Amino acid sequence: MELVIILLALSLLMFVAYRGFSVILFAPICALFAVLLTNPDWVLPFFSNIFMEKMVGFIKAYFPVFLLGAIFGKVVEMSGIAESIAKTIIRMIGAKRAILAIVLLGAILTYSGVSLFVVVFAVYPFAANLFREANIPKRLIPGTIALGAFTFTMDALPGTPQIQNVIPTTFFKTDIYAAPIMGSVGGLFILVVGMWYLESRKKKAHQAGEGYAGFEATAASAAPQMELKNEPEMTLETDRQPVYRQVLAFVPLVLVAVMNKVFTLSIPKWYPEGFDFSAIGLEAFGKIETPAVLAIWSVQMALLIGILAAMLYDFPKIKTNFQAGLNVSIGGALLAVMNTGAEYGFGGVIAALPGFKSVSSGISETFTNPLVNGAVTTTTLAGVTGSASGGMGIALSAMSDKYTQAITSGGVPPEVMHRVISMASGGMDTLPHNGAVITLLAVTGLTHRQSYKDIFMITILKTVTVFLMIGLYSLTGLY
C-alpha cells in the first residue's frame, strides 16, 4: 500500500503537468496527498521541514544560474547576436543544408548558456525561412530544433553551462567538464545519428511529394496542404554585415566558455581552504567548502561577463527595449527555478516516505550497477515530471548519498556518475507534457500529432546513448 501511495502521487503530478497546471502549486499538493494517505499527523511537519527546506535549498543554490542564464539569452537575442550568428552559419553551410544549419545554430546558442526556451524563439524564424526556401516539410522543424537545443549541448558535451549539467556538481563535488571523453563521444553519436534520422525523414517526404506546407492538393490519395500558423515575417535577404561584426557576434558566447574554465581553475586558488565565516566573527553562517560551489560560482561569473560583452556588441539596439526584455527574462527565470524547486521539494517528501524504501530497493535489486541504476531512475523520474532538471532533482534528492556510496565502493569516478545522471535527465523528459516541447510546438504553430513523432525519436536516441556510454566506460574504462 505504501508503494501504491507513491505511485499514485507521481501519477497525479504527471497528470496535472500534462494538463498544463503549474507544478509550483500541484507539486506540494501531490506530495502532501501522499503524506496524508500515509499518516495524516505528518502533513504539516513534512510541509515545513521537508518540502520547504528542499525547495528553498534548491532555489538558494541555483537561482543565480537560472537568472543570469535567462538574462544572457535575452541580451543575445535583443542585441542581434543570434541573428548575426544564424546568417553566418547559413552563408558558410548553405541554405540547402537547412537542417544542419538549424541544428548547429541551436547547439551554439545552448552550449553558450542561452536558455532552451529562448533558443526556441530565437531559432524558429530562421528555421521557417530556410525550410520554406528548401521546401522541407515544416513539421520537421520541431525535431530539428530539439536535436540542436535539447540533446547533446544541453547535458552531454563537457563544459555546457546548462542547469542540467550544473546540478550534479554539488552532489558529486565535480565540475561541468566531468567525464569529457564520455560526454564528447556521446554528444557526437547523438549529433550524427540524429542528423541521419532527420535527413532520411526529409528524403522520404520529398519522395512522397511533400513540401513545406504539406502535400500538393492535386496529389492522389495525399493529405491536403496544412494550414500554416505562426509564420515569421522576417526574411534572410538582408544586407551582409562586415566581417568584423560577424566575428564579434561570437565573442560573448566564446567568453562564457573560456571564462568558465578560467574561473574553474582560479577559484580553488582563491579559496584553497574554502571560506570559514567564523574567522570573521560570523559563526552562524558556517563554512563553505570550495568543491561544493566551484561549478556554480564559475558559471555565474562567466555568464555575468557574457552579459556585459553581449551588451557592448550593440548597446544602442539593446537600450531601446532593455527594461522590458530584462523584466521578461527575470520573470522566466523565476518561473523556471520555482517549477524545478517545487519538483525538488516533491522528491524530498517522496524520498522520506516509508514506501520509497521499497522503490529504492526494487531498483537497486533490479539494476545492481550504480550507473545503470542512476540512469534508469533519473530518466524515469524526468519522464514522469516532464522535466530534466526536475527528474534529476528528485533522483538526487532521494538517492545521491546512496549513489555516492555505491560508486565509492565500486571504484567508479564521481565524474562518470555526474555525466550519466546529467545525460539521463535529458532522455525521457521530453514526453508530451514537457514544458519545452509544448513551447516548441506552440511557437512553430504545429501540433503533437504533426511533429511529436520526430521529437520522440530524438528522445529515444538520447536515452539509448546514455546506456551505450555506460557500456563504453565498462569495456574501456575511458571517461
Side-chain angles (χ1 to χ4, degrees):
M1 188 62 190
E2 292 170 342
L3 177 59
V4 171
I5 290 172
I6 288 178
L7 294 176
L8 182 61
L10 286 169
S11 300
L12 182 59
L13 180 61
M14 183 171 65
F15 174 76
V16 296
Y18 180 79
R19 299 292 296 177
F21 291 96
S22 173
V23 297
I24 297 174
L25 174 62
F26 281 95
I29 289 176
C30 293
L32 296 178
F33 175 66
V35 177
L36 178 67
L37 295 179
T38 303
N39 189 329
D41 292 338
W42 294 356
V43 172
L44 292 178
F46 265 57
F47 176 71
S48 297
N49 280 41
I50 297 181
F51 180 86
M52 290 305 300
E53 289 288 340
K54 291 288 186 180
M55 180 177 179
V56 171
F58 180 90
I59 294 172
K60 171 189 172 184
Y62 300 110
F63 176 63
V65 178
F66 277 87
L67 178 63
L68 293 173
I71 293 174
F72 177 63
K74 195 62 180 178
V75 172
V76 164
E77 178 189 346
M78 292 191 302
S79 65
I81 289 175
E83 181 178 355
S84 177
I85 292 174
K87 292 177 180 177
T88 300
I89 292 173
I90 292 165
R91 279 193 294 269
M92 293 175 62
I93 296 177
K96 292 183 178 180
R97 297 180 181 175
I99 293 178
L100 178 60
I102 296 305
V103 169
L104 291 179
L105 176 59
I108 289 172
L109 292 177
T110 49
Y111 190 72
S112 302
V114 180
S115 165
L116 307 181
F117 291 91
V118 174
V119 170
V120 170
F121 285 96
V123 172
Y124 170 60
F126 304 101
N129 279 280
L130 280 177
F131 275 52
R132 188 189 303 114
E133 183 177 329
N135 201 29
I136 301 172
K138 183 182 178 181
R139 61 182 175 81
L140 295 180
I141 290 179
T144 303
I145 295 177
L147 176 60
F150 298 176
T151 59
F152 60 100
T153 52
M154 185 179 83
D155 49 46
L157 292 185
T160 175
Q162 295 295 332
I163 193 66
Q164 293 82 3
N165 190 40
V166 175
I167 291 176
T169 63
T170 58
F171 292 92
F172 302 116
K173 305 300 185 291
T174 52
D175 58 44
I176 61 175
Y177 300 93
I181 296 176
M182 177 184 286
S184 299
V185 172
L188 181 61
F189 179 82
I190 294 167
L191 172 60
V192 172
V193 178
M195 281 299 304
W196 170 82
Y197 170 78
L198 291 172
E199 289 290 345
S200 65
R201 292 282 287 166
K202 180 189 76 171
K203 182 178 179 181
K204 184 177 180 180
H206 283 175
Q207 290 174 345
E210 183 182 2
Y212 181 76
F215 294 95
E216 294 294 336
T218 57
S221 69
Q225 288 190 316
M226 65 180 182
E227 179 185 357
L228 298 178
K229 299 179 181 179
N230 295 2
E231 286 296 287
E233 297 180 0
M234 65 162 289
T235 62
L236 297 176
E237 288 76 22
T238 57
D239 294 336
R240 181 167 180 166
Q241 287 184 312
V243 175
Y244 80 92
R245 292 288 290 177
Q246 298 174 39
V247 173
L248 285 177
F250 286 89
V251 169
L253 282 65
V254 173
L255 268 177
V256 172
V258 172
M259 296 309 299
N260 191 12
K261 184 64 176 178
V262 169
F263 289 126
T264 299
L265 298 174
S266 300
I267 290 176
K269 298 177 182 178
W270 301 343
Y271 304 98
E273 304 297 329
F275 187 86
D276 191 351
F277 281 94
S278 63
I280 57 173
L282 299 173
E283 293 83 359
F285 294 96
K287 181 179 180 180
I288 297 176
E289 299 292 343
T290 301
V293 295
L294 175 61
I296 295 176
W297 285 1
S298 299
V299 170
Q300 289 173 9
M301 296 175 70
L303 285 172
L304 186 60
I305 291 174
I307 291 169
L308 295 175
M311 292 177 66
L312 292 175
Y313 176 78
D314 196 340
F315 185 73
K317 187 174 182 179
I318 294 176
K319 185 171 63 175
T320 305
N321 298 307
F322 182 69
Q323 181 182 9
L326 191 64
N327 290 340
V328 168
S329 60
I330 292 172
L334 285 169
L335 181 61
V337 76
M338 288 294 291
N339 277 328
T340 309
E343 290 170 339
Y344 192 73
F346 174 88
V349 171
I350 295 300
L353 294 176
F356 191 80
K357 294 181 180 179
S358 300
V359 177
S360 175
S361 61
I363 294 176
S364 298
E365 292 172 4
T366 305
F367 306 102
T368 55
N369 184 310
L371 298 177
V372 176
N373 188 313
V376 171
T377 302
T378 302
T379 198
T380 300
L381 292 175
V384 169
T385 60
S387 167
S389 53
M392 181 195 299
I394 293 175
L396 292 179
S397 172
M399 302 180 71
S400 61
D401 291 339
K402 185 172 183 178
Y403 290 152
T404 301
Q405 294 174 1
I407 62 176
T408 300
S409 61
V412 178
E415 290 83 4
V416 175
M417 180 59 89
H418 169 133
R419 187 57 55 208
V420 167
I421 293 287
S422 181
M423 291 182 67
S425 74
M428 296 305 294
D429 66 309
T430 47
L431 289 178
H433 58 293
N434 174 267
V437 170
I438 294 171
T439 299
L440 176 57
L441 293 174
V443 169
T444 56
L446 295 162
T447 65
H448 280 78
R449 177 174 295 182
Q450 291 170 317
S451 297
Y452 182 71
K453 176 184 177 181
D454 299 312
I455 300 174
F456 180 74
M457 291 304 296
I458 298 298
T459 296
I460 292 296
L461 168 62
K462 181 73 183 304
T463 305
V464 169
T465 302
V466 178
F467 296 98
L468 291 178
M469 292 306 101
I470 293 174
L472 177 66
Y473 167 74
S474 300
L475 292 173
T476 66
L478 296 174
Y479 64 93

PDB file of all heavy atoms in Angstrom, residues 16 47 58 69 130 142 158-159 193 216 283 313 317 343 348 366 405 411 435 440 459 465 470:
ATOM      1  N   VAL A  16      -1.433  16.290 -13.848  1.00  0.00           N
ATOM      2  CA  VAL A  16      -1.704  17.730 -13.788  1.00  0.00           C
ATOM      3  C   VAL A  16      -0.699  18.502 -14.638  1.00  0.00           C
ATOM      4  O   VAL A  16      -1.044  19.528 -15.246  1.00  0.00           O
ATOM      5  CB  VAL A  16      -1.712  18.244 -12.328  1.00  0.00           C
ATOM      6  CG1 VAL A  16      -2.842  17.612 -11.549  1.00  0.00           C
ATOM      7  CG2 VAL A  16      -0.384  18.013 -11.643  1.00  0.00           C
ATOM      8  N   PHE A  47       5.516  19.332   5.381  1.00  0.00           N
ATOM      9  CA  PHE A  47       5.489  20.521   4.518  1.00  0.00           C
ATOM     10  C   PHE A  47       6.540  21.533   4.955  1.00  0.00           C
ATOM     11  O   PHE A  47       7.297  22.056   4.131  1.00  0.00           O
ATOM     12  CB  PHE A  47       4.105  21.161   4.544  1.00  0.00           C
ATOM     13  CG  PHE A  47       4.025  22.438   3.752  1.00  0.00           C
ATOM     14  CD1 PHE A  47       4.072  22.413   2.365  1.00  0.00           C
ATOM     15  CD2 PHE A  47       3.922  23.662   4.386  1.00  0.00           C
ATOM     16  CE1 PHE A  47       4.014  23.584   1.620  1.00  0.00           C
ATOM     17  CE2 PHE A  47       3.869  24.849   3.658  1.00  0.00           C
ATOM     18  CZ  PHE A  47       3.913  24.806   2.271  1.00  0.00           C
ATOM     19  N   PHE A  58      17.188  24.304  -2.951  1.00  0.00           N
ATOM     20  CA  PHE A  58      17.456  24.270  -4.389  1.00  0.00           C
ATOM     21  C   PHE A  58      17.514  25.687  -4.959  1.00  0.00           C
ATOM     22  O   PHE A  58      18.432  26.027  -5.720  1.00  0.00           O
ATOM     23  CB  PHE A  58      16.368  23.470  -5.107  1.00  0.00           C
ATOM     24  CG  PHE A  58      16.564  23.380  -6.594  1.00  0.00           C
ATOM     25  CD1 PHE A  58      17.297  22.332  -7.152  1.00  0.00           C
ATOM     26  CD2 PHE A  58      16.032  24.328  -7.451  1.00  0.00           C
ATOM     27  CE1 PHE A  58      17.498  22.251  -8.513  1.00  0.00           C
ATOM     28  CE2 PHE A  58      16.230  24.257  -8.822  1.00  0.00           C
ATOM     29  CZ  PHE A  58      16.966  23.215  -9.349  1.00  0.00           C
ATOM     30  N   GLY A  69      21.455  33.090 -16.716  1.00  0.00           N
ATOM     31  CA  GLY A  69      21.274  32.414 -17.994  1.00  0.00           C
ATOM     32  C   GLY A  69      20.138  33.012 -18.804  1.00  0.00           C
ATOM     33  O   GLY A  69      20.250  33.196 -20.022  1.00  0.00           O
ATOM     34  N   LEU A 130      14.449  29.051 -43.869  1.00  0.00           N
ATOM     35  CA  LEU A 130      15.308  28.082 -44.547  1.00  0.00           C
ATOM     36  C   LEU A 130      14.515  26.877 -45.038  1.00  0.00           C
ATOM     37  O   LEU A 130      14.716  26.404 -46.161  1.00  0.00           O
ATOM     38  CB  LEU A 130      16.414  27.616 -43.604  1.00  0.00           C
ATOM     39  CG  LEU A 130      17.611  28.545 -43.435  1.00  0.00           C
ATOM     40  CD1 LEU A 130      18.581  27.965 -42.415  1.00  0.00           C
ATOM     41  CD2 LEU A 130      18.322  28.758 -44.757  1.00  0.00           C
ATOM     42  N   PRO A 142      10.308  21.246 -35.493  1.00  0.00           N
ATOM     43  CA  PRO A 142      10.477  20.969 -34.053  1.00  0.00           C
ATOM     44  C   PRO A 142      11.531  19.911 -33.755  1.00  0.00           C
ATOM     45  O   PRO A 142      12.334  20.069 -32.825  1.00  0.00           O
ATOM     46  CB  PRO A 142       9.075  20.501 -33.629  1.00  0.00           C
ATOM     47  CG  PRO A 142       8.152  21.179 -34.585  1.00  0.00           C
ATOM     48  CD  PRO A 142       8.890  21.165 -35.897  1.00  0.00           C
ATOM     49  N   PRO A 158      30.970  18.158 -22.413  1.00  0.00           N
ATOM     50  CA  PRO A 158      31.570  18.736 -21.213  1.00  0.00           C
ATOM     51  C   PRO A 158      31.698  20.250 -21.338  1.00  0.00           C
ATOM     52  O   PRO A 158      32.015  20.766 -22.401  1.00  0.00           O
ATOM     53  CB  PRO A 158      32.954  18.068 -21.160  1.00  0.00           C
ATOM     54  CG  PRO A 158      33.227  17.656 -22.578  1.00  0.00           C
ATOM     55  CD  PRO A 158      31.899  17.285 -23.153  1.00  0.00           C
ATOM     56  N   GLY A 159      31.396  20.936 -20.248  1.00  0.00           N
ATOM     57  CA  GLY A 159      31.533  22.387 -20.233  1.00  0.00           C
ATOM     58  C   GLY A 159      30.264  23.154 -20.500  1.00  0.00           C
ATOM     59  O   GLY A 159      30.239  24.372 -20.332  1.00  0.00           O
ATOM     60  N   VAL A 193      23.755  10.468 -35.537  1.00  0.00           N
ATOM     61  CA  VAL A 193      22.568   9.627 -35.735  1.00  0.00           C
ATOM     62  C   VAL A 193      21.314  10.493 -35.857  1.00  0.00           C
ATOM     63  O   VAL A 193      20.425  10.201 -36.663  1.00  0.00           O
ATOM     64  CB  VAL A 193      22.422   8.609 -34.588  1.00  0.00           C
ATOM     65  CG1 VAL A 193      21.163   7.764 -34.778  1.00  0.00           C
ATOM     66  CG2 VAL A 193      23.647   7.708 -34.524  1.00  0.00           C
ATOM     67  N   GLU A 216       0.842  18.519 -52.186  1.00  0.00           N
ATOM     68  CA  GLU A 216       0.086  19.293 -53.163  1.00  0.00           C
ATOM     69  C   GLU A 216      -1.355  18.787 -53.196  1.00  0.00           C
ATOM     70  O   GLU A 216      -1.611  17.589 -53.092  1.00  0.00           O
ATOM     71  CB  GLU A 216       0.705  19.141 -54.557  1.00  0.00           C
ATOM     72  CG  GLU A 216       2.098  19.739 -54.683  1.00  0.00           C
ATOM     73  CD  GLU A 216       2.080  21.248 -54.542  1.00  0.00           C
ATOM     74  OE1 GLU A 216       1.015  21.851 -54.803  1.00  0.00           O
ATOM     75  OE2 GLU A 216       3.113  21.832 -54.164  1.00  0.00           O
ATOM     76  N   GLU A 283      29.978  33.095  13.055  1.00  0.00           N
ATOM     77  CA  GLU A 283      29.921  31.649  13.226  1.00  0.00           C
ATOM     78  C   GLU A 283      28.619  31.042  12.715  1.00  0.00           C
ATOM     79  O   GLU A 283      28.583  29.895  12.258  1.00  0.00           O
ATOM     80  CB  GLU A 283      30.095  31.285  14.704  1.00  0.00           C
ATOM     81  CG  GLU A 283      31.459  31.593  15.272  1.00  0.00           C
ATOM     82  CD  GLU A 283      31.609  33.047  15.703  1.00  0.00           C
ATOM     83  OE1 GLU A 283      30.642  33.811  15.538  1.00  0.00           O
ATOM     84  OE2 GLU A 283      32.700  33.418  16.188  1.00  0.00           O
ATOM     85  N   TYR A 313      28.079  44.651 -27.670  1.00  0.00           N
ATOM     86  CA  TYR A 313      28.018  44.336 -29.095  1.00  0.00           C
ATOM     87  C   TYR A 313      27.161  45.359 -29.843  1.00  0.00           C
ATOM     88  O   TYR A 313      27.532  45.821 -30.923  1.00  0.00           O
ATOM     89  CB  TYR A 313      27.459  42.931 -29.290  1.00  0.00           C
ATOM     90  CG  TYR A 313      27.271  42.543 -30.741  1.00  0.00           C
ATOM     91  CD1 TYR A 313      28.350  42.149 -31.520  1.00  0.00           C
ATOM     92  CD2 TYR A 313      26.007  42.579 -31.338  1.00  0.00           C
ATOM     93  CE1 TYR A 313      28.196  41.799 -32.846  1.00  0.00           C
ATOM     94  CE2 TYR A 313      25.833  42.230 -32.668  1.00  0.00           C
ATOM     95  CZ  TYR A 313      26.927  41.841 -33.413  1.00  0.00           C
ATOM     96  OH  TYR A 313      26.763  41.495 -34.730  1.00  0.00           O
ATOM     97  N   LYS A 317      20.985  49.307 -29.695  1.00  0.00           N
ATOM     98  CA  LYS A 317      19.847  48.450 -30.058  1.00  0.00           C
ATOM     99  C   LYS A 317      19.210  47.841 -28.818  1.00  0.00           C
ATOM    100  O   LYS A 317      17.981  47.742 -28.716  1.00  0.00           O
ATOM    101  CB  LYS A 317      20.319  47.353 -31.009  1.00  0.00           C
ATOM    102  CG  LYS A 317      19.190  46.513 -31.593  1.00  0.00           C
ATOM    103  CD  LYS A 317      19.742  45.549 -32.626  1.00  0.00           C
ATOM    104  CE  LYS A 317      18.614  44.740 -33.265  1.00  0.00           C
ATOM    105  NZ  LYS A 317      19.135  43.804 -34.297  1.00  0.00           N
ATOM    106  N   GLU A 343       9.460  20.747  -7.784  1.00  0.00           N
ATOM    107  CA  GLU A 343       9.641  19.320  -8.083  1.00  0.00           C
ATOM    108  C   GLU A 343      10.719  18.709  -7.197  1.00  0.00           C
ATOM    109  O   GLU A 343      10.631  17.536  -6.797  1.00  0.00           O
ATOM    110  CB  GLU A 343      10.000  19.142  -9.562  1.00  0.00           C
ATOM    111  CG  GLU A 343       8.822  19.460 -10.483  1.00  0.00           C
ATOM    112  CD  GLU A 343       9.221  19.534 -11.942  1.00  0.00           C
ATOM    113  OE1 GLU A 343      10.423  19.740 -12.217  1.00  0.00           O
ATOM    114  OE2 GLU A 343       8.349  19.393 -12.796  1.00  0.00           O
ATOM    115  N   GLY A 348      11.921  15.337  -2.306  1.00  0.00           N
ATOM    116  CA  GLY A 348      12.357  15.199  -0.928  1.00  0.00           C
ATOM    117  C   GLY A 348      11.303  14.567  -0.048  1.00  0.00           C
ATOM    118  O   GLY A 348      11.602  13.723   0.813  1.00  0.00           O
ATOM    119  N   THR A 366      17.045  -4.698  -9.063  1.00  0.00           N
ATOM    120  CA  THR A 366      16.886  -4.956 -10.495  1.00  0.00           C
ATOM    121  C   THR A 366      18.119  -4.510 -11.272  1.00  0.00           C
ATOM    122  O   THR A 366      18.580  -5.192 -12.187  1.00  0.00           O
ATOM    123  CB  THR A 366      15.636  -4.224 -11.034  1.00  0.00           C
ATOM    124  OG1 THR A 366      14.501  -4.610 -10.264  1.00  0.00           O
ATOM    125  CG2 THR A 366      15.396  -4.583 -12.494  1.00  0.00           C
ATOM    126  N   GLN A 405      27.897   6.360  -2.200  1.00  0.00           N
ATOM    127  CA  GLN A 405      28.430   5.176  -1.533  1.00  0.00           C
ATOM    128  C   GLN A 405      28.688   4.056  -2.536  1.00  0.00           C
ATOM    129  O   GLN A 405      29.714   3.357  -2.464  1.00  0.00           O
ATOM    130  CB  GLN A 405      27.447   4.699  -0.464  1.00  0.00           C
ATOM    131  CG  GLN A 405      27.282   5.666   0.694  1.00  0.00           C
ATOM    132  CD  GLN A 405      26.188   5.239   1.657  1.00  0.00           C
ATOM    133  OE1 GLN A 405      25.555   4.193   1.475  1.00  0.00           O
ATOM    134  NE2 GLN A 405      25.935   6.052   2.662  1.00  0.00           N
ATOM    135  N   GLY A 411      34.518   1.741  -7.019  1.00  0.00           N
ATOM    136  CA  GLY A 411      35.665   2.341  -7.700  1.00  0.00           C
ATOM    137  C   GLY A 411      35.305   3.126  -8.943  1.00  0.00           C
ATOM    138  O   GLY A 411      36.129   3.295  -9.839  1.00  0.00           O
ATOM    139  N   GLY A 435       7.380  20.923 -20.702  1.00  0.00           N
ATOM    140  CA  GLY A 435       7.133  22.338 -20.964  1.00  0.00           C
ATOM    141  C   GLY A 435       7.849  22.860 -22.193  1.00  0.00           C
ATOM    142  O   GLY A 435       7.301  23.656 -22.957  1.00  0.00           O
ATOM    143  N   LEU A 440       7.801  24.656 -27.764  1.00  0.00           N
ATOM    144  CA  LEU A 440       8.341  24.484 -29.111  1.00  0.00           C
ATOM    145  C   LEU A 440       7.222  24.333 -30.138  1.00  0.00           C
ATOM    146  O   LEU A 440       7.243  24.976 -31.201  1.00  0.00           O
ATOM    147  CB  LEU A 440       9.259  23.264 -29.145  1.00  0.00           C
ATOM    148  CG  LEU A 440       9.855  22.838 -30.492  1.00  0.00           C
ATOM    149  CD1 LEU A 440      10.650  23.977 -31.112  1.00  0.00           C
ATOM    150  CD2 LEU A 440      10.741  21.614 -30.311  1.00  0.00           C
ATOM    151  N   THR A 459      14.361  11.815 -28.624  1.00  0.00           N
ATOM    152  CA  THR A 459      14.374  11.460 -27.212  1.00  0.00           C
ATOM    153  C   THR A 459      14.865  10.028 -27.008  1.00  0.00           C
ATOM    154  O   THR A 459      15.707   9.763 -26.144  1.00  0.00           O
ATOM    155  CB  THR A 459      12.965  11.606 -26.609  1.00  0.00           C
ATOM    156  OG1 THR A 459      12.572  12.978 -26.653  1.00  0.00           O
ATOM    157  CG2 THR A 459      12.927  11.129 -25.175  1.00  0.00           C
ATOM    158  N   THR A 465      21.636   6.409 -25.972  1.00  0.00           N
ATOM    159  CA  THR A 465      23.032   6.819 -25.939  1.00  0.00           C
ATOM    160  C   THR A 465      23.621   6.741 -24.537  1.00  0.00           C
ATOM    161  O   THR A 465      24.796   6.390 -24.358  1.00  0.00           O
ATOM    162  CB  THR A 465      23.182   8.258 -26.482  1.00  0.00           C
ATOM    163  OG1 THR A 465      22.659   8.312 -27.807  1.00  0.00           O
ATOM    164  CG2 THR A 465      24.630   8.696 -26.504  1.00  0.00           C
ATOM    165  N   ILE A 470      27.567   4.061 -20.933  1.00  0.00           N
ATOM    166  CA  ILE A 470      27.862   3.234 -19.759  1.00  0.00           C
ATOM    167  C   ILE A 470      28.610   1.978 -20.201  1.00  0.00           C
ATOM    168  O   ILE A 470      29.592   1.556 -19.575  1.00  0.00           O
ATOM    169  CB  ILE A 470      26.564   2.859 -19.010  1.00  0.00           C
ATOM    170  CG1 ILE A 470      25.927   4.111 -18.392  1.00  0.00           C
ATOM    171  CG2 ILE A 470      26.845   1.827 -17.923  1.00  0.00           C
ATOM    172  CD1 ILE A 470      24.575   3.862 -17.747  1.00  0.00           C
TER     173      ILE A 470
END
